[in-house]
Amino acid sequence: MLDLLQNLGRRGLGVFERLGRASLLLVQILSGLHTLLPRPRLVIQQVFSVGVLSLVIIVVSGTFVGMVLGLQGYNTLVDFGAEESLGVVVALSLVRELGPVVTALLFAGRAGSALTAEIGLMKATEQLSALEMMAVDPVRRVLAPRFIAGFISMPLLAAIFSAVGVLGGYFVGVGLLGVDEGAYWSQMQDKVDLYDDVYNGVIKSLAFGWVATWIAVFEGHDAVPTSEGVSRATTRTVVYTSLAVLGLDFVLTALMFGD
Amino acid sequence: MGPPRNSDSRTVVQQQDNDEPLVTIRDLTFRRDGRVIFDGVDLDIRRGRVTAIMGPSGTGKTTLLRLVGGQLRPERGSIRFEGEEITRAGRGRLYELRKRMGMLFQNGALLTDMNVYDNVAFPLREHTDLPEAMIRDLVLMKLEAVGLRGARRLMPSQLSGGMARRVALARAIALDPDMILYDEPFTGQDPISMGVLVRLIRTLNESLGLTSVLVSHDIAEAASISDYIYLLAGGRVVAQGTADELYESDSQWAQQFLKGLPDGPVPFHYPAPDYAGDLLAGGEGREAAA
Amino acid sequence: MMSTRTTEIWVGVFVAAGLAALFMLAMKVSNLSALNEEDGFTIEARFEDASGLKVRSPVTMAGVRIGRVVAIEFDKQSLQAVVRMRIDRRYDTLPADSSASIYTAGLLGEKYVGLEPGAGADECEEAALEAELEGRAPEPCEGGTRVLRDGSRIKITQGSLVLEKLIARFVSQFLEGGGKKEAAQ
């Protein structure tokens, strides 16, 4: 019994310890951001690897999600004779929730895990140490550009997700199921508010981008420098980012869309 | 077996004007995970010399290099580089000092996302404002010094271990540092690469007027090029001197290490209870959990 | 390894695509165009019952949307619902004696405010009437129909029909009717 408590206690302290380390790392990253201004190339390179290379999965997923929304939405609405509102259902679901959240989850799986693995591997092969000994701060040179790239890319990816999703819903609803084209767009335009919905969705994806990239970069930097350690760190990135995004989504939704 | 004969082509080290050691370490104490790594270590690294730090595995030789480079902070003691206290240097100052040190990591630690040329050019591009044309000249010179000028377009993944280390060496001398730290440079090398590296370390030390610190447990090679050797064991310096002095010394540590004896101050047996008692005590044929 | 130039081009494409998506969401998906009606004039109407009406519900006349509800408040003096609406600036010819009613759009639809044009109160008639009531000489004034403008209040209103009240009324009418029949026999 006592052992169990001891274990729990140690685990608990461990959590705080990691959180503390992660926060310190974040402060280090933020304080070094200004050094990136004269070297945009570093950030651009990372936006490519984090954003551009995620485009395929985001576009494909967005299209499918939009199409499914069109299908399911139609099936439910048609019972109420309200299938003209399909556009609203698809657009609001995407812009408010699915766009930011699903994009963040996909990001964690594709880009987040890649970041963690890359940084962890650099740690294991002593590249980070070598940078330090060459008087180059690895946090500023390696971590900061990746952090900024993730933060910038996330809202763009989420917007692309929502946009192709709406088009996917259009394809299924109007193209295949016969919903009136005019009704699809006009009802949507009527009910989707720029500030309440689109703007809030962007805020969400910025918050998710912050959290997802922070976790990915921290886990890589904190990984045990062995192959097993890197693999565990990558798993942790995906799991923790997913949990954090979903939890944060609840909090943000309550704040933004609650009364 | 006597000490390895030094080749006569080895030049006599010039008397430096400044006889003050480049690095002085006094009473260095460092602990990790509760284990004592260093317990009051005193060392001097003299200018222009090749100093070897040797000892059995696990004595924390790499840790020593990290302490000298300021990547780790000791619990107690002082490490002075050119008279400046490393243990108390702020980040900015530390980074300045590191520009005067080069470090060769065990596996080269080349940046894997750029080719050989860019790797060697990296410190120059980061820390100087030199135009690309000049950087090109410097990079080619450094690569020529290690014999890899023709490999400059290769990626690190295309290099053999020995070649990677040589490129890393070229990178380490890119900024013309005062001192180079070698972390186990001979480990896992075939005889030819070994020979190349040995020759390079010595030649560069002479021609560039460097101070070299070598951490290794490869006696033959290290002893053949070192001017002075420190033997570490149990967190302390147990023997020091030139290769000849050590071979002749009374120290049991030195004798065991230099001759490769399996038993001595570093015991063969891991601490265990009495053998006979252990055999007789087990009646059930299964080791009960402690 | 991709050359830097190709990388940069792709990043540019990516950022452009992202911004285009945001733009599309803003333009085609949301009510951005509708937001331009922020400039308009505000009128007020009081209802006995404003159930179901929400802020941003449409305000229509002749079936065409001319504005939106911007605020719904409760007046504790008159115990009525005070609904403030913003009407698009273009529609400056709405008669001052128009009435406002709360309707339901479709079976499950949301509530909206429908304005019906009044007969057209004459500007000077109203002013003269007021002056008479107050016992002073009427001021000289030009003719012309009074229109709704910023701060105007709609006097005639019809609150929203709540389903339960309707049923209750229907049932009581039915019972009354039945009762009268019995009494008549």
Side-chain angles (χ1 to χ4, degrees), chain A residues 129 132 134-135 137 141, chain B residues 66 71 91 98 122 126-127:
Chain A
S129 234
E132 268 187 8
M134 285 194 279
D137 186 355
R141 189 79 175 34
Chain B
R66 287 194 198 277
Q71 285 183 306
R91 240 172 113 261
R98 282 181 186 157
F122 185 79
E126 288 291 316
H127 295 306

Side-chain angles (χ1 to χ4, degrees), chain A residues 14-24 214 218:
Chain A
V15 167
F16 283 114
E17 202 193 342
R18 300 192 91 231
L19 195 57
R21 276 209 297 274
S23 310
L24 288 173
W214 178 16
F218 168 69

Side-chain angles (χ1 to χ4, degrees), chain B residues 1-5 219-220 223 243-244 246-248 254-261:
Chain B
M1 190 175 90
R5 288 286 143 215
I219 323 135
D244 294 339
L246 279 182
Y247 266 96
E248 254 112 67
Q255 292 303 313
Q256 182 186 11
F257 192 74
L258 291 173
K259 297 196 174 131
L261 303 172

Side-chain angles (χ1 to χ4, degrees), chain C:
Chain C
M1 225 192 78
M2 201 173 264
S3 82
T4 350
R5 200 148 163 273
T6 325
T7 310
E8 285 170 0
I9 294 177
W10 273 109
V11 168
V13 168
F14 168 64
V15 173
L19 291 175
L22 269 176
F23 193 67
M24 177 217 166
L25 288 179
M27 295 271 107
K28 284 222 78 183
V29 170
S30 81
N31 56 2
L32 182 62
S33 39
L35 283 182
N36 291 336
E37 312 164 350
E38 281 316 309
D39 55 337
F41 59 94
T42 310
I43 61 175
E44 193 185 280
R46 286 161 186 261
F47 296 89
E48 292 298 326
D49 194 329
S51 312
L53 196 64
K54 293 204 237 299
V55 174
R56 288 193 33 214
S57 295
V59 176
T60 68
M61 183 179 271
V64 177
R65 193 168 73 73
I66 57 171
R68 284 202 188 274
V69 173
V70 289
I72 303 176
E73 279 149 18
F74 179 69
D75 178 6
K76 50 184 192 174
Q77 304 295 356
S78 61
L79 302 182
Q80 282 176 320
V82 181
V83 175
R84 277 208 297 281
M85 302 166 267
R86 178 154 274 151
I87 308 294
D88 192 306
R89 191 180 294 287
R90 292 176 283 168
Y91 307 120
D92 52 0
T93 56
L94 309 177
D97 60 350
S98 303
S99 63
S101 314
I102 300 183
Y103 296 115
T104 312
L107 192 56
L108 286 178
E110 50 167 27
K111 305 278 189 190
Y112 67 96
V113 178
L115 300 180
E116 229 123 285
D122 188 77
E123 278 242 19
C124 303
E125 226 176 82
E126 280 257 359
L129 195 60
E130 265 181 34
E132 209 179 298
L133 285 174
E134 285 166 13
R136 49 181 171 83
E139 289 149 15
C141 88
E142 299 166 9
T145 325
R146 256 195 16 196
V147 292
L148 290 175
R149 56 170 75 87
D150 197 48
S152 301
R153 187 193 294 197
I154 294 183
K155 308 241 178 0
I156 308 163
T157 65
Q158 160 77 54
S160 65
L161 296 172
V162 180
L163 206 54
E164 292 87 354
K165 290 189 186 169
L166 260 180
I167 293 176
R169 214 185 328 159
F170 181 73
V171 168
S172 67
Q173 270 183 1
F174 182 71
L175 288 178
E176 251 174 63
K180 277 206 192 112
K181 259 209 220 137
E182 277 184 12
Q185 279 166 358

Side-chain angles (χ1 to χ4, degrees), chain A residues 28 39 118 122 124-138 140-141 146, chain B residues 66 69 71 91 95 98-99 101 103 105-107 109-112 122-123 126-127 171 181:
Chain A
Q28 262 188 290
R39 331 181 47 163
E118 189 187 4
M122 286 181 88
T125 52
E126 294 190 293
Q127 285 179 54
L128 295 184
S129 234
L131 283 172
E132 268 187 8
M133 284 309 292
M134 285 194 279
V136 171
D137 186 355
R140 291 187 179 187
R141 189 79 175 34
R146 287 163 172 79
Chain B
R66 287 194 198 277
Q71 285 183 306
R91 240 172 113 261
Y95 273 58
R98 282 181 186 157
K99 290 183 198 171
M101 301 180 202
M103 181 143 166
F105 288 82
Q106 202 164 336
N107 295 311
L110 296 176
L111 299 174
T112 44
F122 185 79
E126 288 291 316
H127 295 306
R171 182 180 70 178
L181 308 166

Side-chain angles (χ1 to χ4, degrees), chain B residues 178-195:
Chain B
D178 297 324
M179 174 170 79
I180 302 214
L181 308 166
Y182 296 87
D183 188 4
E184 308 260 9
F186 308 123
T187 313
Q189 294 290 288
D190 67 85
I192 299 179
S193 326
M194 192 98 83

